[in-house]
């Protein structure tokens, strides 16, 4: 429990009768920032709690995925701040090399220009200007959402400090022989004109064609099949399996390559599957990764037949054709020569596309820079295996290990102008010099810097420590590294999480960049479909924030956040969360109007009513429950727990059961007012990390405190009263049963009914006034006639329904329902008594029938009691 001895200012006079988020949220957020509540102090003696934000692209805007993850990160850091931690949530943006360059190139295209018209320096200046003008839109939107980030520490992956970190780690990796330059097959985007990594390629089934082509003549011929006929111009061999007897006579021979004046060898390689197709494959080392490996093993020539735009660069009649135009032309030429043995179209097969522009990717032999990931990936895997880093939920670990244990060397060079320039200089006599951040590059005639820039993920892989000042041993680095949790989507385990693990362990002497990796799912629409700008189901969260308030959006997202699982969300759910915020508002206003206070100590237990003891017991259990869910990243469960406690137990039960006490006034009303104040105080503290705006407004009014942002997090006092909980459960049972009966009789909620309550010698008698008020039950009166008697927990409730219901019609209805229930019971008993059925039926089917039997028996007892309670006809 919490203590607060501050005296509140005037209560409800400060609160409008209705909650208007638009009039509250913006002003509150600016006040939080101005007062420095979110700024972390590296000199503080408090324990540190650190989260670095997954840096959104400078091109970006807030989408529901951002809002979802930001809500959860904000909840974690707000709670830890309230618990007494020096809580740092560090914001920033990623320069997003390809995406940002594409944006500016599109602008230039509208002006009829290309980047080459400007030159590298002027183009880069243009991108910086674009970044200042358009970039960072998302940062303003983060304020709308209520992100409690430390704006004084905002970083950008190309700011001066982070650029120094990039140059430093490149130099160290290069000196340790973990960065090298080599010619290999890479994924090439003919639209973006750059290499892209394996994880930036999206595969989808495309309708293509599969053609079978005869190479060679007569007995010295064989058939190969391909979906990329245009690459045959670069074939330098045909491969067969060494044990394939069909082609044993050809191994080592030269055969004629159609449409060319070249002959190529037939080589034996175990990579070839003799059971697949014809058992012979064309080998194009410059345009296929598997073929490149075969070429390396057999010392084959690598012939590049396409330029960076995907245009054919060889062989007369096809020279200058686009790759897809060349495909049709080559198949046509082969058909004319009678070399097409078979054609299959459409032929559905998996084709790689650039994740940014959706262009079909072209495998291409290219000289690039690579990171030797073997030892780095091994360390990243070991850190999880030995428990230094926990992955949550644990079953996501398999995806992580599948990646880091099978990682290929990472191509880090990109043929762009926007990004971190590779710090390599080439000399006039073939010298290669890597330059660190504090070193002067070589000068003199003939020295040039490598034209490429680094993959965006190279710099963002340094994010957890470069943002804290590395490579300097800054106070921030000493205080806030390692970070506590990385909360991010499971879809970027490969892009970002693994990179940070590798670089963090390497740069920080084996200390992993975070203690926990908490993986979330993806936000989807209410039907479980992926949201996309190209689909009508895409939602701008700002629209919902404008309509329902930021708290409503946040609560909806948190309520759907099961670890690792996708999050469906629809507008109806946001609307429901808005009603919850309004319920909190209205119920707190009622509490304030009826004497809720936090002044003084809680009264001793002996002065508390059973209702007071019940709600305090439930309050402490809720505190413990919410704490447990937070530590397990169970945001959905903690949100449900808070929703149930606030709406059901506090507002629908405690407030209602206490109304007679408040209306009566006197000492007990003062006691319950102090209890209600305590409950609302703690409830608002518990809710604050997820719905910060409405809770801040209400709490400062209730308590007179400065801000919930810096208030104490509630603690479980250990108070429990199981007897009071059982007693109130009985009261709830009575009220629920009578309400249900009233509804069945078609009585209006406000319709008063004379009643006699016989609650026996139980504690229920102390609650008769509250029960009568909530159920609209009048005293018996002299003319009272019990027309219906209901058995309830601990006694009976007799109701005089004369003049209210048609007894004969009610008896007929109940008799019909009773007959249906008895028939249901007989059918369930018959099935459960059938040994043959029980032997064959699955357990879940048997359990379902047992449930039907139990329900039927309960319905029979209830209906018979209602019939018995009706007067004789």
């Amino acid at each position: 429990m919490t203590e607060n001895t501050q005296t509140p200012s005037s209560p409800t006079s400060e609160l409008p009768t209705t909650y208007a988020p638009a009039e509250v949220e913006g002003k509150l957020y600016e006040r939080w920032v101005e007062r420095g509540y979110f700024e972390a102090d590296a000199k503080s003696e408090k324990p540190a709690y650190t989260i670095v934000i997954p840096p959104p692209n400078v091109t970006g805007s807030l989408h529901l995925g951002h809002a979802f993850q930001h809500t959860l990160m904000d909840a974690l850091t707000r709670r830890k701040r309230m618990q007494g931690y020096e809580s740092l949530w560090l914001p920033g943006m990623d320069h997003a090399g390809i995406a940002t360059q594409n944006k500016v190139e599109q602008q230039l295209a509208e002006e009829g220009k290309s980047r080459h018209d400007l030159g590298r320096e002027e183009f880069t200046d243009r991108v910086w200007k674009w970044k200042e003008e358009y970039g960072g839109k998302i940062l303003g939107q983060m304020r709308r959402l209520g992100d409690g980030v430390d704006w004084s520490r905002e970083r950008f992956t190309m700011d001066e400090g982070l650029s120094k970190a990039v140059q430093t780690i490149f130099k160290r990796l290069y000196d340790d022989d973990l960065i090298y330059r080599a010619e290999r097959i890479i994924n090439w985007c003919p639209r973006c004109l750059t290499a892209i990594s394996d994880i930036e390629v999206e595969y989808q089934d495309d309708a293509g064609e599969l053609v079978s082509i005869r190479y060679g003549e007569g007995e010295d011929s064989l058939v190969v099949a391909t979906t990329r006929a245009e690459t045959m111009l670069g074939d330098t061999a045909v491969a067969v399996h060494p044990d394939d007897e069909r082609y044993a006579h050809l191994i080592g021979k030269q055969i004629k390559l159609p449409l060319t004046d070249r002959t190529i060898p037939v080589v034996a390689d175990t990579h070839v599957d003799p059971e697949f197709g014809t058992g012979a494959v064309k080998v194009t080392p410059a345009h296929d990764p598997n073929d490149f490996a075969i070429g390396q093993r057999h010392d084959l020539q690598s012939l590049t037949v396409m330029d960076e735009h995907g245009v054919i660069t060889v062989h007369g009649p096809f020279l200058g054709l686009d790759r897809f135009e060349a495909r049709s032309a080559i198949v046509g030429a082969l058909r004319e020569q009678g070399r097409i043995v078979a054609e299959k179209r459409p032929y559905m097969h998996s084709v790689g596309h650039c994740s940014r522009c959706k262009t079909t990717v072209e495998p291409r032999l290219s000289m690039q820079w690579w990171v030797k990931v073997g030892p780095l990936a091994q360390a990243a895997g070991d850190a999880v295996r030995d428990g230094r880093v926990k992955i949550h939920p644990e079953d996501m670990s398999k995806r992580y290990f599948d990646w880091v244990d099978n990682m290929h060397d990472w191509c880090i060079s990109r043929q762009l102008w926007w990004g971190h320039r590779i710090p390599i200089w080439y000399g006039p006599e073939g010298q290669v010099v890597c330059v660190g951040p504090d070193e002067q590059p070589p000068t003199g005639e003939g020295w040039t810097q490598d034209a490429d820039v680094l993959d965006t993920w190279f710099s963002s892989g340094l994010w957890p420590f470069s943002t804290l000042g590395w490579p300097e041993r800054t106070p921030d680095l000493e205080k806030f590294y390692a970070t506590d949790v990385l909360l991010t989507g499971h879809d970027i385990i490969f892009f970002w999480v693994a990179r940070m693990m590798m670089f963090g362990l390497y740069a920080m002497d084996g200390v992993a960049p975070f203690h926990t990796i908490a993986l979330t799912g993806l936000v989807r629409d209410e039907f479980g479909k992926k949201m996309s700008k190209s689909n009508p189901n895409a939602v701008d969260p700002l629209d919902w924030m404008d309509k329902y308030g930021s708290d409503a959006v946040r609560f909806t997202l948190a309520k759907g956040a099961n670890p690792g699982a996708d999050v469906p969300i629809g507008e109806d759910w946001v609307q429901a969360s808005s009603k919850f915020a309004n319920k909190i508002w209205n119920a707190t206003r009622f509490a304030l109007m009826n004497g809720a206070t936090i002044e003084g100590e809680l009264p001793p237990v002996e002065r508390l009513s059973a209702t007071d003891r019940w709600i305090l017991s439930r309050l402490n259990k809720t505190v413990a429950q919410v704490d447990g869910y937070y530590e397990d990243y169970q945001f959905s469960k903690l949100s449900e727990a808070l929703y149930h406690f606030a709406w059901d137990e506090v507002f629908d039960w405690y407030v209602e059961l206490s109304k007679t006490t408040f209306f009566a006034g006197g000492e007990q009303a003062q006691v319950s007012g102090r209890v209600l104040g305590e409950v609302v105080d703690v409830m608002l503290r518990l809710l604050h990390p997820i719905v910060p705006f409405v809770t801040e407004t209400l709490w400062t009014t209730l308590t007179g405190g400065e801000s919930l942002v810096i208030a104490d997090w509630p603690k479980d006092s250990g108070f429990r009263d199981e007897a009071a909980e059982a007693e109130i459960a009985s009261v709830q049972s009575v009220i629920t049963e009578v309400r249900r009966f009233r509804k069945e009789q078609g009585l209006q909620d406000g319709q008063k009914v004379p009643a006699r309550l016989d609650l026996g010698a139980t504690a229920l008698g102390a609650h008769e006034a509250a029960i009568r008020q909530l159920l609209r039950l009048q005293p018996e009166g002299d003319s009272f006639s019990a027309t219906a008697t209901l058995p309830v927990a601990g006694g009976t409730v007799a109701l005089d329904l004369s003049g209210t219901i048609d007894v004969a019609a009610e008896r007929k209805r109940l008799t019909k329902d009773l007959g249906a229930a008895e028939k249901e019971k007989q059918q369930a008993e018959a099935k459960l008594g059938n040994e043959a059925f029980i032997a064959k039926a699955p357990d879940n089917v048997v359990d379902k029938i047992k449930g039907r039997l139990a329900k039927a028996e309960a319905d029979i007892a209830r209906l018979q009691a209602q019939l018995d309670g009706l007067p004789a006809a």
Side-chain angles (χ1 to χ4, degrees):
M1 294 304 220
T2 57
E3 292 184 8
N4 192 323
T5 56
Q6 291 176 290
T7 303
S9 53
S10 57
T12 50
S13 61
E14 297 181 8
L15 294 175
T17 54
T18 57
Y19 178 50
E23 297 175 11
V24 171
E25 294 175 348
K27 295 175 185 177
L28 264 187
Y29 188 83
E30 291 310 314
R31 186 165 72 201
W32 291 334
V33 173
E34 288 169 5
R35 293 184 179 181
Y37 292 153
F38 305 138
E39 294 181 13
D41 182 2
K43 298 179 181 178
S44 169
E45 294 183 0
K46 296 178 182 178
Y49 184 81
T50 316
I51 295 179
V52 291
I53 204 167
N57 289 351
V58 70
T59 59
S61 60
L62 191 73
H63 56 67
L64 275 174
H66 288 123
F68 169 55
Q69 292 179 357
H70 287 206
T71 293
L72 306 188
M73 286 184 277
D74 195 33
L76 290 172
T77 49
R78 283 179 182 269
R79 172 175 174 262
K80 286 295 183 181
R81 188 179 294 112
M82 294 173 74
Q83 286 183 314
Y85 286 79
E86 197 61 37
S87 191
L88 169 62
W89 186 19
L90 194 148
M93 294 181 294
D94 193 302
H95 66 280
I98 295 177
T100 307
Q101 178 158 320
N102 281 347
K103 288 281 188 182
V104 178
E105 288 196 90
Q106 288 167 14
Q107 274 191 342
L108 289 173
E110 292 172 2
E111 301 169 13
K113 299 178 182 178
S114 74
R115 60 174 160 142
H116 300 285
D117 294 323
L118 274 63
R120 184 167 194 146
E121 186 174 343
E122 189 178 343
F123 177 79
T124 303
D125 289 342
R126 176 78 174 253
V127 182
W128 275 107
K129 289 177 183 176
W130 185 94
K131 182 258 179 187
E132 295 303 321
E133 185 175 355
Y134 298 101
K137 177 183 177 183
I138 195 171
L139 300 180
Q141 295 169 329
M142 287 165 57
R143 303 170 93 92
R144 280 290 313 276
L145 189 64
D147 285 5
V149 296
D150 186 344
W151 292 109
S152 70
R153 286 179 166 85
E154 181 190 336
R155 303 305 300 269
F156 178 53
T157 49
M158 283 184 64
D159 67 29
E160 184 178 352
L162 269 63
S163 295
K164 180 179 181 180
V166 168
Q167 199 171 352
T168 298
I169 201 162
F170 187 99
K171 170 72 171 173
R172 292 188 186 179
L173 289 164
Y174 181 85
D175 290 345
D176 287 344
D177 294 326
L178 293 173
I179 283 183
Y180 63 94
R181 192 173 187 234
E183 191 175 44
R184 293 186 178 177
I185 293 287
I186 48 91
N187 303 297
W188 181 265
C189 176
R191 160 63 185 81
C192 298
L193 296 180
T194 182
I196 59 176
S197 66
D198 291 344
I199 52 179
E200 293 169 302
V201 178
E202 293 179 348
Y203 288 90
Q204 66 183 46
D205 285 341
D206 286 358
E209 60 180 346
L210 180 69
V211 294
S212 298
I213 309 167
R214 182 174 298 282
Y215 284 22
E217 305 293 342
E219 293 185 358
D220 291 346
S221 68
L222 38 67
V223 175
V224 299
T226 181
T227 58
R228 301 168 67 217
E230 68 279 9
T231 64
M232 69 166 291
L233 301 176
D235 285 0
T236 55
V238 173
V240 298
H241 194 278
D243 299 330
D244 194 335
E245 295 181 358
R246 293 173 295 175
Y247 305 116
H249 67 290
L250 289 177
I251 295 173
K253 286 187 178 183
Q254 296 281 326
I255 62 172
K256 183 75 167 46
L257 178 65
L259 304 183
T260 74
D261 56 3
R262 293 191 292 117
T263 60
I264 57 177
V266 177
V267 299
D269 197 284
T270 55
H271 169 76
V272 179
D273 180 1
E275 302 298 324
F276 183 76
T278 65
V281 297
K282 59 191 286 298
V283 182
T284 320
H287 292 278
D288 184 274
N290 293 322
D291 293 2
F292 178 77
I294 294 175
Q296 293 287 97
R297 288 193 289 272
H298 297 277
D299 197 24
L300 300 175
Q301 186 181 7
S302 295
L303 297 179
T304 299
V305 297
M306 274 180 266
D307 67 12
E308 64 270 22
H309 297 280
V311 173
I312 301 299
T313 58
V314 298
H315 203 72
F318 311 111
L319 181 66
L321 293 180
D322 171 81
R323 54 185 168 156
F324 300 120
E325 294 173 336
R327 181 176 299 172
S328 297
I330 288 171
V331 170
L334 289 167
R335 191 182 295 114
E336 287 180 6
Q337 293 186 6
R339 291 196 172 271
I340 299 296
V341 176
E343 296 181 68
K344 183 177 181 180
R345 75 167 65 85
Y347 177 72
M348 300 303 296
H349 62 132
S350 182
V351 178
H353 296 261
C354 174
S355 62
R356 292 177 176 83
C357 71
K358 311 309 176 187
T359 300
T360 300
V361 167
E362 191 65 41
R364 187 168 189 258
L365 185 63
S366 180
M367 183 68 75
Q368 302 285 344
W369 285 96
W370 305 81
V371 172
K372 189 184 298 181
V373 299
L376 302 175
Q378 176 70 44
D382 290 346
V384 175
R385 287 189 175 92
D386 63 23
R388 279 175 288 159
V389 177
K390 305 288 186 185
I391 292 181
H392 192 278
E394 191 176 352
D395 59 10
M396 285 283 180
S397 299
K398 183 180 184 302
R399 296 185 66 181
Y400 176 81
F401 290 130
D402 285 346
W403 178 250
V404 298
D405 291 347
N406 299 285
M407 195 183 298
H408 301 296
D409 283 2
W410 171 20
C411 177
I412 56 171
S413 45
R414 298 290 181 267
Q415 289 64 56
L416 305 172
W417 288 356
W418 173 246
H420 294 100
R421 189 93 173 257
I422 289 179
I424 294 287
W425 269 256
Y426 304 106
E429 298 180 9
Q431 305 99 313
V432 179
V433 176
C434 182
V435 178
D438 300 319
E439 301 171 349
Q440 291 296 320
T443 57
E445 187 175 348
W447 283 93
T448 59
Q449 186 177 359
D450 194 298
D452 290 350
V453 300
L454 288 163
D455 178 12
T456 294
W457 298 102
F458 189 94
S459 53
S460 59
L462 314 181
W463 190 252
F465 52 95
S466 63
T467 52
L468 297 173
W470 187 90
E472 308 301 326
R473 300 299 298 191
T474 63
D476 276 3
L477 193 66
E478 296 288 345
K479 177 74 175 178
F480 297 112
Y481 188 89
T483 67
D484 286 85
V485 60
L486 170 72
L487 192 144
T488 191
H490 61 63
D491 56 323
I492 58 172
I493 291 177
F494 319 127
F495 289 93
W496 192 45
V497 178
R499 312 298 193 206
M500 288 189 290
M501 285 287 284
M502 291 192 303
F503 282 165
L505 290 161
Y506 173 79
M508 297 301 294
D509 302 320
V511 179
F514 17 76
H515 302 303
T516 300
I517 301 168
L519 297 170
T520 69
L522 307 179
V523 177
R524 297 184 177 273
D525 71 13
E526 58 192 304
F527 305 107
K529 294 181 180 178
K530 182 179 179 180
M531 287 190 177
S532 170
K533 291 180 180 178
S534 60
N535 292 333
N537 66 351
V539 174
D540 183 346
L542 293 178
D543 292 341
W544 282 352
M545 285 187 238
D546 290 340
K547 194 170 182 180
Y548 301 109
S550 297
D551 283 335
V553 174
R554 290 170 62 112
F555 191 75
T556 305
L557 291 165
K559 204 173 180 185
N562 289 300
D566 288 347
V567 183
I569 184 172
E571 186 169 1
D572 288 350
W573 305 343
V574 183
Q575 188 175 19
S577 294
S578 175
K579 291 179 181 178
F580 179 52
N582 288 324
K583 181 77 170 182
I584 298 170
W585 183 271
N586 294 330
T588 303
R589 286 189 79 255
F590 172 85
L592 289 167
M593 287 188 293
N594 286 276
T597 178
I598 50 90
E599 293 185 54
E601 298 287 336
L602 276 173
V605 174
E606 57 270 17
R607 293 180 59 196
L608 302 178
S609 69
T611 309
D612 293 335
R613 297 196 308 277
W614 163 73
I615 197 62
L616 289 175
S617 182
R618 292 296 310 133
L619 177 67
N620 277 281
K621 285 183 177 180
T622 301
V623 171
Q625 190 178 34
V626 168
D627 277 334
Y629 288 144
Y630 261 115
E631 295 306 315
D632 199 34
Y633 304 99
Q634 297 278 1
F635 294 97
S636 178
K637 290 182 178 179
L638 73 88
S639 300
E640 287 285 357
L642 288 170
Y643 180 91
H644 172 71
F645 177 73
W647 192 303
D648 297 343
E649 297 186 314
V650 178
F651 303 145
D652 279 0
W653 284 112
Y654 180 72
V655 168
E656 293 299 320
L657 288 172
S658 300
K659 278 183 178 178
T660 53
T661 300
F662 291 134
F663 294 161
E667 181 181 348
Q668 192 56 50
Q670 292 179 352
V671 169
S672 292
R674 178 64 187 91
V675 171
L676 180 57
E678 180 77 9
V679 170
V680 173
D681 174 19
V682 173
M683 178 195 72
L684 293 173
R685 293 174 195 252
L686 290 173
L687 283 164
H688 176 72
I690 296 176
V691 285
F693 295 109
V694 66
T695 53
E696 172 85 340
T697 306
L698 294 171
W699 185 84
T700 52
T701 302
L702 170 70
T703 69
E706 181 181 345
S707 173
L708 259 178
V709 180
I710 54 173
D712 291 336
W713 181 254
K715 294 181 180 178
D716 175 11
S717 71
F719 177 79
R720 303 287 191 275
D721 193 325
E722 301 299 338
E725 290 197 40
E727 183 174 328
I728 299 304
S730 296
V731 174
Q732 292 171 326
S733 175
V734 171
I735 293 171
T736 300
E737 182 63 25
V738 176
R739 277 177 174 167
R740 187 166 62 81
F741 179 77
R742 287 178 58 111
K743 186 175 182 180
E744 289 174 347
Q745 309 311 311
L747 300 178
Q748 298 298 315
D749 290 341
Q751 190 171 350
K752 295 181 179 179
V753 177
R756 178 174 63 240
L757 274 62
D758 181 5
L759 303 177
T762 68
L764 284 172
H767 302 278
E768 182 170 340
I771 291 171
R772 283 186 176 276
Q773 179 176 321
L774 291 176
L775 292 173
R776 306 293 192 270
L777 301 181
Q778 293 179 316
E780 298 171 45
D782 296 336
S783 61
F784 179 81
S785 174
T787 59
T789 303
L790 301 179
V792 295
T796 58
V797 174
L799 302 172
D800 184 353
L801 301 177
S802 56
T804 304
I805 65 169
D806 183 333
V807 174
E810 181 60 17
R811 181 177 293 281
K812 183 178 179 181
R813 184 186 70 82
L814 290 173
T815 301
K816 180 180 178 182
D817 290 348
L818 180 61
E822 288 173 338
K823 183 177 180 181
E824 174 73 5
K825 178 186 176 185
Q826 290 170 2
Q827 290 175 342
E829 286 178 335
K831 285 189 176 182
L832 293 174
N834 185 333
E835 294 182 3
F837 171 79
I838 294 296
K840 295 179 180 179
D843 290 345
N844 64 317
V845 173
V846 175
D847 290 342
K848 186 176 181 180
I849 295 172
K850 288 180 178 178
R852 284 169 49 191
L853 175 60
K855 182 179 184 302
E857 290 174 339
D859 287 344
I860 290 169
R862 174 177 58 80
L863 293 165
Q864 189 62 58
Q866 291 179 17
L867 277 168
D868 293 342
L870 290 175

